[in-house]
Amino acid sequence: MTEIQKVYEPQAVEEKWYSFWLAENCFAGNPARVSAKRPAYSIVIPPPNVTGVLTLGHVLNNTIQDILARKARMDGKEVLWLPGTDHAGIATQTAVEKTLKKQGEIKHRDDLGRERFLEKVWEWKGRYGGIIIQQLKKLGASCDWSRERFTMDPHYNQCVQAVFFDLYKKGLIYRGKRMVNWCPASRTALSDEEVEMKEQKGFLYYFRVEVREKPGTWLTIATTRPETIPGDTALAVNPKDPRYAGLVGLHAVRPLPVEMPLEERLIPIVADEHVDFEFGTGVLKVTPAHDKADFEIGARHQLPVVDVMNQDGTMNVLAGATLAGLDRFVARKKAAEQLTELGVLEKEEPYTNNVGFSERAGVPVEPRLSEQWFLRYPSREKSLECVVNETLRFHPARWAKVYEHWMTGLQDWCISRQLWWGHRIPVWIKTAGPSETAEGWTQRLAAEFPASATELVVRASGQELHAATVHPEVQQKLSAEGWVQDSDVLDTWFSSWLWPFATMGWPENTETLKAFYPTTDLVTGPDIIFFWVARMIMAGYEYMGEMPFKNVYFTGIIRDKQGRKMSKSLGNSPDPLEIIGKFGADALRFGVMRSAPLGQDVIYDEQNVELGRNFCNKLWNACRFRQMQGGDTEGEINPAYLTGDDRWILLRLDQAVQEVSAALADYRFNEAAASLYRFFWSEYCDWYIEASKAALASTDTERRASTVAVIDFVLGHVVRLFHPFLPFITEELWHGLGYSRDLPPDQGGKSIMYAPWPKPFTAEEKAYFGLDDAVDRRSSSKYELVTLGRNLKAQFGMPSNKRVKFILRAAGEIAPIDVEVVRILVNAETLEVVGSGWTTPKGVPSAANAFGELFLPLTGLIDVASERTRLAKELEKIATEVGKVRDKLANPEFAQKVPAKVLAEHEQRLADWLAKEKQVHSALANLPEA
RNA sequence: GGGCGAGUGGCGCAGCGGUUAGCGCAGCUGCCUUACACGCAGUUGGUCGGGGGUUCGAAUCCCUCCUCGCCCACCA
């Protein structure tokens, strides 16, 4: 540290080191360096939306990835953390469209047309596309930026097309007219996963219809959607329902549209198992065009399908003159009014039911019959199996169940979207003319383009011919011949699912793929387990023959203090960049990680970041303290000079190294952070540094040098252990303290990120430094006695800075250095050491433990009565505990059944309490008469 | 309706068969003791959601109930 400031100021330090890392190419993952001795470690980033901005969710997610990547580098692995962004079809298109509308440029995207609109989106991407990447850099993310990918890169587009083509060829992709989830706001189909069920308050409308063949016979029907009545093409009852047994096969008169001739409003009454006769009246109106279940009933009974709605959710002419043109929700009310006017509405009751919402647009989806592309998922068995048998591990493991459940009930995936921003479907369509056949076209094109044989499939589909091809010349030819390319694009996730290998150069078998696929860890939120994780696994097996990652770590969701999800609309989502500006990136990282238990939601509280900031400052100052001591950097530790405190801190360090390594291996980041925090703050700073001041003040230069060497040893470990969490400050300290000095560049000489991860001591090292349990116990009990001594002062109302005289009667031999340590720690003016023969003067408060006895001679200043009360209270507590242990031991069954070890423990505990009781008794007896 | 997760001092968490139930924050009381007031020392709070059971022994295992959160599910 060139400049020693009292307070750590992160901004300049962060700038400096991030530029340094980039300039030195520290983040590059190089397949050529991978070997048996240097194994590969890889992560692909969950690509954020290209036009997105950093949220706390990203902070959590990417900090975890960065910790994993940095730890792996320190473990000597060749690390590739591959970054990039996602084109995010609907989200981006809607955002751009909205902005253009707001700016008054257009009313609808149709005003621009496909080409010009796409130009605008690319323009937008150019303007805002880099923001989130820059923000990730501020966080300290150690991605290999030279490999940044975008899901609409030309190469990536080729991958998507190739995969589409391949699946089409395999017959897994098909086109069909089916019920899909239609979003009237975005005017596109959605997959089932993009639909969110929400409770909706509405009404259940009861209306009646007359049976044509039995005038005077009326049936009452309950529905939540009266506006779809004009689309009803049947009534259905359960075949087992005795109430309606005689009516099946007859007809009812549909009330709407009113202007329609009665004969055209006759609909059959059919019997279908699907009808629940407990619900409503047991009579179901069947609207095949606007309900998935109804569609199926319709199919079973060959009912006509009458679509009464437009793409945008307004009613069309088939809904009748009154409803036509109205929005579906307005039409609902209007239809109810019409029923009232007709006198057939019996009642409306308030009713709450589940309605599917488009998760992007936030409006109810409309089940709608339309022509779409579907995918029957490939490689399903392997994908299910690998998670079930834990070849691919989920952390926490419970998500495996969720995955299993979904994989078991897999439905085909609707992959086409009626959008413009995305990968256009590589299929050309033509209405088949007379004598035109798929075979004919295949032969013709194959003759003209011999190389196209494996890149072209022509199929007949009803009246149409479909030519799927990834061959550019064939594509041109088809256009020239009057074929028209399908105007739909693919679901964004149809490109994202290729991410782990498409970003590494697939379909070529690149060096990168060979070295880094499958990736090691994937870090993502459980909310995209189906959207992304599951699909990547299937794509991985299908195209690489192997799983895409070995581990998936599912983060929690970031919530605010009140436990609410962070959201823009609630305004409870703080800007991470502002937080970084205020507290520093390390502070944010540490604050978030400390409060992020494995797989548990994270409550975000700025206080945690403040704590992180304070922690960095503490670390800074502890290193500053070291620097003020001068002396050689990382000198030799001479075992002959090690104090009890030195040995104790080395033992505790060893413990911390083990704890942190184990926690990180299990993805228990918060525990790793907590271990480090505790070790560094409570053990190293609060006890060791203070105790070491005795040795540092020593005139014995050897002793002093040895302690400085211990400090360097511990700090050198501490900064490395912290580096994955706090990359910036640790880099600064690593160089500032000169720990990088004698190391080769690839082992920490250049950057701490290549310094080896600390290892626990070997048995030999422990023996060499004389580290054993006895050392630990003795120092611990020394510190415990210090605490008791401090308590004495506090109890007698002495300010902690008041330097008084203490007397110590040690339980055994005591080294002179320890006397000085105790003196400093209790902040005594003098500490007089007396022998066991020393008699206690009357009225001197004392405290004792295994280490010895401390006396605080106050020469008559103490309040005898309150001291008596205090000791009496203490005795009371001891008596309770003694009682508890005695009762246990007295229980014959206890002695019989309990393991010997536990029995011994209890006996020891009793002895300890009794000893303590004796001490308190004598202290009490020692009080002067009142 | 099914599945999952969580209920421990004011707040956030740890402990998951045997400890005097821990930790951090906040609170309170002293302190600017020359690394750090983004700090130091000391300290008040809980009997572990309710009930039942297993056990020599339960916050920890089992059963049941309650509360909260998430996911899945075509009852109109």
Side-chain angles (χ1 to χ4, degrees):
Chain A
M1 284 178 277
T2 40
E3 264 179 73
I4 305 181
Q5 316 143 264
K6 258 187 157 182
V7 173
Y8 171 59
E9 275 159 17
Q11 281 70 28
V13 170
E14 291 175 5
E15 284 285 344
K16 177 176 77 179
W17 288 114
Y18 205 85
S19 318
F20 175 84
W21 293 328
L22 289 179
E24 295 289 324
N25 221 241
C26 289
F27 304 152
N30 183 351
R33 285 194 296 234
V34 173
S35 70
K37 282 177 93 175
R38 191 173 173 80
Y41 176 91
S42 53
I43 304 182
V44 288
I45 204 169
N49 289 2
V50 67
T51 56
V53 289
L54 200 71
T55 64
L56 282 173
H58 293 120
V59 169
L60 172 65
N61 185 270
N62 288 286
T63 299
I64 290 172
Q65 292 174 67
D66 198 43
I67 289 171
L68 290 169
R70 287 176 186 271
K71 166 70 164 53
R73 285 189 195 100
M74 295 177 81
D75 282 336
K77 293 179 182 160
E78 182 62 27
V79 172
L80 171 62
W81 181 11
L82 202 158
T85 50
D86 193 291
H87 68 280
I90 301 187
T92 306
Q93 171 161 328
T94 327
V96 175
E97 198 174 344
K98 208 184 265 176
T99 308
L100 291 177
K101 279 182 196 164
K102 211 188 265 171
Q103 293 168 348
E105 287 196 37
I106 54 165
K107 282 213 171 73
H108 188 264
R109 62 182 193 254
D110 291 337
D111 299 351
L112 279 176
R114 188 165 189 142
E115 297 304 315
R116 298 234 2 250
F117 182 78
L118 284 176
E119 274 169 32
K120 291 278 181 192
V121 184
W122 279 106
E123 217 179 285
W124 174 277
K125 187 251 171 192
R127 200 159 348 137
Y128 302 105
I131 293 179
I132 195 157
I133 297 296
Q134 293 314 312
Q135 292 177 319
L136 283 170
K137 291 178 180 173
K138 291 266 184 273
L139 228 207
S142 58
C143 302
D144 183 348
W145 299 109
S146 70
R147 294 171 181 271
E148 188 185 331
R149 297 287 184 272
F150 175 49
T151 55
M152 294 258 280
D153 285 341
H155 169 262
Y156 206 105
N157 178 256
Q158 283 166 25
C159 292
V160 173
Q161 303 237 344
V163 165
F164 180 95
F165 177 75
D166 178 71
L167 293 168
Y168 183 81
K169 195 156 82 175
K170 286 172 178 159
L172 293 170
I173 285 180
Y174 59 91
R175 188 166 156 89
K177 197 165 191 185
R178 290 240 208 136
M179 275 318 247
V180 295
N181 307 296
W182 183 263
C183 172
S186 326
R187 299 189 202 178
T188 177
L190 301 174
S191 65
D192 296 342
E193 287 67 37
E194 287 163 289
V195 176
E196 211 183 6
M197 297 307 278
K198 280 195 207 169
E199 278 206 341
Q200 267 263 296
K201 279 186 185 148
F203 292 93
L204 197 52
Y205 301 86
Y206 290 79
F207 68 100
R208 59 195 159 96
V209 294
E210 190 168 22
V211 179
R212 184 66 202 278
E213 291 84 350
K214 292 190 176 178
T217 305
W218 294 82
L219 288 174
T220 304
I221 304 160
T223 180
T224 53
R225 305 200 61 187
E227 77 278 16
T228 63
I229 292 175
D232 292 350
T233 52
L235 296 184
V237 296
N238 192 291
K240 294 193 191 91
D241 193 333
R243 291 173 293 179
Y244 308 115
L247 301 178
V248 174
L250 305 183
H251 296 78
V253 184
R254 199 181 63 206
L256 302 176
V258 281
E259 71 273 20
M260 188 182 269
L262 190 138
E263 289 308 315
E264 290 172 35
R265 284 190 272 125
L266 285 186
I267 52 175
I269 300 168
V270 301
D272 196 282
E273 293 284 351
H274 172 264
V275 181
D276 175 358
F277 43 93
E278 305 271 299
F279 188 91
T281 59
V283 185
L284 173 68
K285 70 188 225 12
V286 183
T287 326
H290 297 284
D291 185 279
K292 210 176 163 193
D294 289 9
F295 179 75
E296 282 158 20
I297 296 176
R300 282 196 285 273
H301 301 274
Q302 289 89 44
L303 300 173
V305 177
V306 179
D307 187 342
V308 296
M309 246 177 256
N310 296 312
Q311 284 195 358
D312 61 355
T314 57
M315 310 307 291
N316 65 25
V317 287
L318 295 177
T322 320
L323 301 183
L326 297 180
D327 178 78
R328 53 192 166 145
F329 301 110
V330 179
R332 182 171 304 170
K333 287 207 181 77
K334 193 76 198 167
E337 281 169 27
Q338 285 187 287
L339 294 175
T340 311
E341 285 162 20
L342 291 170
V344 294
L345 187 71
E346 294 190 337
K347 58 174 171 176
E348 336 177 347
E349 356 180 274
Y351 185 69
T352 303
N353 65 340
N354 280 328
V355 175
F357 276 70
S358 153
E359 54 144 39
R360 281 279 161 215
V363 299
V365 295
E366 196 56 52
R368 186 162 196 266
L369 191 65
S370 67
E371 191 89 10
Q372 302 288 344
W373 293 93
F374 295 90
L375 167 67
R376 181 172 164 74
Y377 288 100
S379 294
R380 312 157 107 186
E381 293 77 18
K382 276 185 188 163
S383 301
L384 176 56
E385 211 179 277
C386 68
V387 172
V388 172
N389 67 24
E390 294 183 42
T391 329
L392 195 169
R393 297 187 108 96
F394 282 4
H395 308 270
R398 65 187 146 87
W399 291 109
K401 269 194 193 171
V402 176
Y403 175 83
E404 250 183 88
H405 182 249
W406 187 76
M407 287 295 289
T408 317
L410 261 191
Q411 301 287 312
D412 289 356
W413 174 13
C414 173
I415 53 173
S416 45
R417 296 290 177 274
Q418 288 64 54
L419 303 171
W420 290 343
W421 177 241
H423 297 277
R424 196 155 168 188
I425 293 175
V427 173
W428 277 255
I429 298 171
K430 184 178 197 303
T431 309
S435 78
E436 262 186 317
T437 63
E439 293 73 32
W441 273 97
T442 308
Q443 279 166 19
R444 232 182 100 183
L445 291 164
E448 193 169 341
F449 304 98
S452 75
T454 54
E455 296 177 335
L456 169 72
V457 173
V458 186
R459 286 207 183 114
S461 171
Q463 293 300 102
E464 291 178 343
L465 292 176
H466 292 171
T469 179
V470 288
H471 192 105
E473 288 170 26
V474 176
Q475 294 179 348
Q476 272 181 13
K477 174 75 177 172
L478 287 167
S479 299
E481 294 271 349
W483 292 67
V484 179
Q485 185 175 5
D486 192 309
S487 57
D488 289 353
V489 299
L490 290 160
D491 181 2
T492 301
W493 299 104
F494 192 90
S495 58
S496 318
W497 75 326
L498 313 177
W499 189 249
F501 51 89
T503 52
M504 293 192 191
W506 185 85
E508 303 299 317
N509 189 202
T510 60
E511 292 307 307
T512 303
L513 275 173
K514 282 188 237 170
F516 293 110
Y517 189 98
T519 63
T520 318
D521 292 322
L522 177 79
V523 179
T524 191
D527 48 332
I528 51 175
I529 187 167
F530 310 136
F531 281 113
W532 197 45
V533 179
R535 288 167 179 166
M536 276 194 288
I537 296 173
M538 291 186 270
Y541 275 111
E542 188 68 8
Y543 291 102
M544 294 298 298
E546 229 179 321
M547 60 179 80
F549 26 73
K550 295 172 193 148
N551 297 284
V552 184
Y553 175 90
F554 288 105
T555 65
I557 294 166
I558 300 251
R559 298 175 177 280
D560 68 6
K561 268 190 268 188
Q562 288 136 66
R564 301 174 305 182
K565 262 191 197 177
M566 295 284 180
S567 79
K568 275 178 213 143
S569 51
L570 275 176
N572 60 349
S573 180
D575 176 4
L577 270 287
E578 266 175 40
I579 303 171
I580 289 174
K582 197 167 159 196
F583 298 103
D586 286 334
L588 175 59
R589 293 166 62 116
F590 197 64
V592 168
M593 291 319 298
R594 238 181 64 97
S595 50
L598 174 62
Q600 214 80 9
D601 287 354
V602 182
I603 310 286
Y604 174 80
D605 186 342
E606 192 172 276
Q607 265 190 4
N608 285 320
V609 182
E610 207 176 318
L611 184 112
R613 190 263 322 254
N614 295 354
F615 185 82
C616 289
N617 193 243
K618 187 77 176 174
L619 184 59
W620 181 258
N621 276 288
C623 292
R624 204 159 74 94
F625 175 75
R626 156 63 189 97
Q627 211 180 37
M628 292 166 102
Q629 304 313 316
D632 290 348
T633 300
E634 296 186 284
E636 184 109 0
I637 297 174
N638 184 346
Y641 285 97
L642 286 178
T643 64
D645 307 292
D646 293 336
R647 293 199 167 97
W648 179 82
I649 200 63
L650 289 173
L651 271 169
R652 294 305 169 105
L653 171 67
D654 192 52
Q655 174 78 24
V657 169
Q658 292 180 44
E659 281 177 19
V660 173
S661 303
L664 287 180
D666 292 342
Y667 306 90
R668 300 183 328 253
F669 302 102
N670 67 319
E671 289 179 41
S675 276
L676 277 168
Y677 184 94
R678 181 194 44 74
F679 166 73
F680 179 71
W681 202 306
S682 311
E683 293 173 348
Y684 179 74
C685 292
D686 290 349
W687 287 108
Y688 180 72
I689 289 196
E690 294 309 318
S692 74
K693 286 175 181 170
L696 292 172
S698 168
T699 48
D700 182 341
T701 52
E702 298 268 354
R703 150 140 288 158
R704 198 175 181 287
S706 176
T707 291
V708 169
V710 171
I711 291 177
D712 273 340
F713 185 86
V714 176
L715 284 180
H717 280 66
V718 163
V719 288
R720 279 181 288 151
L721 290 169
F722 271 118
H723 179 255
F725 290 88
L726 312 172
F728 296 108
I729 191 174
T730 50
E731 186 78 274
E732 175 75 5
L733 293 170
W734 181 252
H735 293 277
L737 291 169
Y739 296 155
S740 60
R741 215 185 30 183
D742 299 327
L743 295 170
D746 62 348
Q747 281 170 46
K750 182 161 80 182
S751 163
I752 189 175
M753 62 196 281
Y754 291 112
W757 182 256
K759 286 189 186 58
F761 289 126
T762 60
E764 290 74 36
E765 285 166 330
K766 279 193 168 181
Y768 178 73
F769 290 128
L771 310 179
D772 56 37
D773 290 352
V775 167
D776 187 60
R777 273 199 305 274
R778 182 156 170 83
S779 291
S780 295
S781 96
K782 178 170 71 190
Y783 302 144
E784 188 187 74
L785 186 64
V786 166
T787 301
L788 292 171
R790 288 168 175 169
N791 282 344
L792 282 180
K793 275 173 76 175
Q795 270 147 15
F796 292 103
M798 263 180 266
S800 57
N801 67 333
K802 179 152 174 129
R803 299 207 151 187
V804 289
K805 179 184 174 177
F806 269 100
I807 296 167
L808 170 65
R809 186 162 65 189
E813 285 277 299
I814 181 164
I817 187 79
D818 274 342
V819 176
E820 188 55 9
V821 167
V822 173
R823 187 191 68 77
I824 290 173
L825 292 178
V826 294
N827 195 24
E829 181 73 52
T830 56
L831 179 68
E832 185 189 339
V833 180
V834 295
S836 54
W838 186 72
T839 38
T840 320
K842 267 282 187 214
V844 173
S846 69
N849 78 347
F851 193 82
E853 212 169 342
L854 267 182
F855 299 91
L856 180 60
L858 287 166
T859 53
L861 285 177
I862 72 158
D863 178 344
V864 176
S866 80
E867 177 63 355
R868 198 180 293 280
T869 317
R870 188 197 125 230
L871 291 173
K873 219 172 123 191
E874 180 110 19
L875 272 182
E876 213 175 287
K877 196 200 161 167
I878 292 171
T880 318
E881 294 304 330
V882 167
K884 274 202 241 175
V885 189
R886 274 207 171 123
D887 284 352
K888 273 196 181 181
L889 288 169
N891 185 338
E893 284 192 279
F894 179 79
Q896 269 169 30
K897 296 187 180 174
V898 106
K901 198 182 138 208
V902 175
L903 187 64
E905 262 170 35
H906 281 257
E907 276 162 355
Q908 182 60 48
R909 202 186 305 160
L910 180 61
D912 290 347
W913 281 119
L914 290 175
K916 194 151 193 185
E917 190 174 35
K918 207 173 138 197
Q919 283 159 4
V920 178
H921 265 304
S922 74
L924 203 51
N926 195 35
L927 285 178
E929 313 302 322

